[in-house]
Amino acid sequence: MATHRKIGEILVDRQLLTPQQRDMILEQIPTSGMRFVELCRAQGLVTDVDLSKALAERFSLPWIDLGDYQLDTNLLATLPPDVPYQYRFVPLAYEQGGLAIAVADPTDIMRLDELELLLGIPLLIHLAAESEITSLLRAGGGSRRVLRDVAEDFMLQLVKETDKGEEVLSAENVSSDTSPIIKLVNTTLLDALNRRVSDIHIETGHSGVSIKYRIDGVLFPASDPIDLHFQAPIISRLKVMSELDIAERRIPQDGRFKVRFNGKSVDCRISIMPSSYGEDAVIRILDKEGIADQMQKLSLESLGISPRELPRIRHKIREPYGMVLVTGPTGSGKTTTLYAALTEIHTGEEKIVTIEDPVEYLLDGVLQIPVNEKKGLTFARGLRSILRHDPDTIMVGEIRDAETAQIAVQSALTGHLVFTTVHANNALDVVGRFIHMGIDPYNFVSSLNCIMAQRLVRQLCRKCRRAAQYTDQQLQDAGIEPSRRRGLLYEACGCDECNGTGYRGRSAIVELLELNDQLRDQIINRAPATQLKQLARQQGTVFLREAAVEKFLDGETSLREINRVTFAG
């Protein structure tokens, strides 16, 4: 039985609202068109958890804390895959007399009645915080089940292509759309956004079309292969969304499109590549608004860089001029590291200009220029213009050619602080790369403050990692002295929290080479790499393999992971 007390009175009695705040909200109800609870939530006066507890008291309903709740996947499998998303509830258990569910709003009687009719079973209502319900639905594989369900339907239906322009992705949109092609593409994107996916790979082989996700730098299958006959319609749908030429199937095509997801815009870059079986596609997901939230907390510490290296890096990025070079393969976090460095030195007292392809992060107070090669704005041309814009610090997204390299070196020699990246395997290989581009070795090493090689290693999931017993021989084979053990060593296991991978998140390992007069002389005199490496070690450089081993010995990652990322020996 519901109490006769109003929600405002309950919140005041619980000292969650003052009487003045309650009266202020009551005055706003007629003009805002919102209910009391909605105004409390919108103005941030009361937390979701406290609101749900007050509602539970108001309507005499049981309250449940879903903070550490694990969804019962078997129970979820008994329900239509899109229903929990549409009706915003978490199934708890089948009990005598009906299905127990957790909802955030018990006053939406029509919606609950509709759900009860749809399921054909009485509902036993529990209350929970709305944010916790949303988090569980995202993590619980609901959209993955929609994807599997769609893939099954997909085999049975023909395809109709339509161009709807900007897509609004939601579970309701996915379930209501009648076109299996659009349903499959939308659900794949929705699922990827919920699972921290950086890239979606659509690959065609003799057994069918495979959809894979890249999570934390590693590919995982997203669903069972789809019949090969539907490869062309899937690619055509992606081309329509990206405004590419549907008729052209013999040459690579690059494009982009934007989707809206949970009220925010997400940019997607797409690359179409001809293959033996037709065409393959890769979609790079750039959640700029989500990244903007992360940027507020971005720092060199948050990247997981060793505390030993942080003072050395900070010293180099605060020098008044010169070049700070970060190197590594694609996807090794080079740009993120440079942005972390920029946020640390950005005080508003100096002019910072960046040129990138594309601009992946947005920084207040920084002029950021996107490369546009179709219009003639290349790195080299943009960099020349930047130098006329009175900058103090310049960030060049990537040095790809001799002209850009030459201008960057000259900029560093003429009083600018230049941050940039280049593709190379380690810090010493960068020197050979620039000399191969035709850059004068003397000018290059004179401009350099430091070279930092970087990789990303996956971190073990804290919820499911398990202690591993490594023999002395296993450690020696990996180039690790058994005497260096200093605690428990772990290996990956897999749980719902980490999508069964055993890993959640990544951290950076770095190899910092500081340039001094002795090293500069050796490089100019074309000293062999072994001699340069020995000198660098003497001056404090810790190489990538050693940095990875330290992460393993600290229990942050596994032996298998450091062997995947770095060479033993």
Side-chain angles (χ1 to χ4, degrees), residues 162 164 167 172-180 182-183 186:
T162 57
K164 294 187 175 181
E167 298 293 322
E172 292 86 348
N173 174 272
V174 168
S175 60
S176 62
D177 208 316
T178 55
S179 167
I182 296 173
K183 188 187 281 191
N186 284 3

Side-chain angles (χ1 to χ4, degrees), residues 288-452:
K288 291 186 181 179
E289 293 180 30
I291 290 171
D293 295 336
Q294 299 169 21
M295 285 295 293
Q296 296 176 1
K297 299 175 282 188
L298 185 64
S299 66
L300 292 171
E301 280 99 343
S302 68
L303 302 179
I305 295 172
S306 167
R308 177 192 61 248
E309 306 290 2
L310 288 174
R312 301 171 66 208
I313 295 171
R314 287 196 166 108
H315 174 68
K316 290 300 177 184
I317 65 175
R318 284 180 167 83
E319 292 193 349
Y321 55 84
M323 183 184 291
V324 174
L325 241 172
V326 183
T327 186
T330 301
S332 60
K334 302 186 295 294
T335 304
T336 306
T337 297
L338 289 185
Y339 265 94
L342 282 180
T343 57
E344 294 214 0
I345 66 170
H346 182 31
T347 61
E349 296 176 354
E350 295 183 336
K351 180 76 171 182
I352 300 176
V353 185
T354 77
I355 181 164
E356 306 163 68
D357 183 22
V359 174
E360 295 188 17
Y361 303 95
L362 298 175
L363 271 182
D364 287 336
V366 175
L367 173 58
Q368 296 171 271
I369 304 165
V371 165
N372 189 338
E373 294 191 359
K374 290 181 180 177
K375 299 292 184 181
L377 179 54
T378 61
F379 276 112
R381 184 173 179 181
L383 190 49
R384 279 199 210 92
S385 299
I386 287 171
L387 293 174
R388 295 192 289 271
H389 208 72
D390 189 30
D392 297 292
T393 302
I394 302 168
M395 186 184 114
V396 183
E398 184 184 341
I399 289 180
R400 297 175 180 171
D401 55 65
E403 187 180 7
T404 308
Q406 187 67 52
I407 301 168
V409 167
Q410 291 300 323
S411 303
L413 288 170
T414 53
H416 301 92
L417 180 60
V418 179
F419 290 173
T420 189
T421 73
V422 69
H423 284 92
N425 287 326
N426 55 55
L428 291 172
D429 283 355
V430 171
V431 178
R433 181 83 195 276
F434 271 76
I435 292 173
H436 181 72
M437 285 184 190
I439 307 300
D440 178 62
Y442 181 82
N443 284 340
F444 175 58
V445 296
S446 299
S447 71
L448 269 179
N449 293 346
C450 68
I451 304 172
M452 187 166 70

Side-chain angles (χ1 to χ4, degrees), residues 38 48 98 105 235 245 344 354 408:
E38 292 171 335
D48 270 350
D105 183 5
I235 299 297
D245 185 356
E344 294 214 0
T354 77

Side-chain angles (χ1 to χ4, degrees), residues 277-296:
Y277 294 93
E279 291 175 294
D280 283 13
V282 175
I283 305 168
R284 166 66 59 88
I285 297 173
L286 297 172
D287 181 4
K288 291 186 181 179
E289 293 180 30
I291 290 171
D293 295 336
Q294 299 169 21
M295 285 295 293
Q296 296 176 1

Side-chain angles (χ1 to χ4, degrees), residues 212-279:
K212 298 178 181 177
Y213 294 154
R214 188 179 293 281
I215 303 174
D216 291 334
V218 178
L219 285 175
F220 297 96
S223 68
D224 294 332
I226 299 165
D227 193 277
L228 192 59
H229 290 94
F230 300 101
Q231 176 267 347
I234 292 171
I235 299 297
S236 293
R237 172 60 184 164
L238 291 172
K239 287 180 179 178
V240 167
M241 294 173 71
S242 310
E243 298 182 350
L244 299 177
D245 185 356
I246 296 176
E248 181 56 72
R249 299 181 180 179
R250 295 163 296 179
I251 61 173
Q253 294 190 67
D254 296 319
R256 61 186 62 202
F257 59 91
K258 182 182 290 187
V259 294
R260 290 199 62 77
F261 172 71
N262 280 353
K264 63 184 179 182
S265 293
V266 178
D267 288 330
C268 298
R269 287 189 293 157
I270 185 165
S271 171
I272 308 285
M273 190 70 66
S275 72
S276 303
Y277 294 93
E279 291 175 294

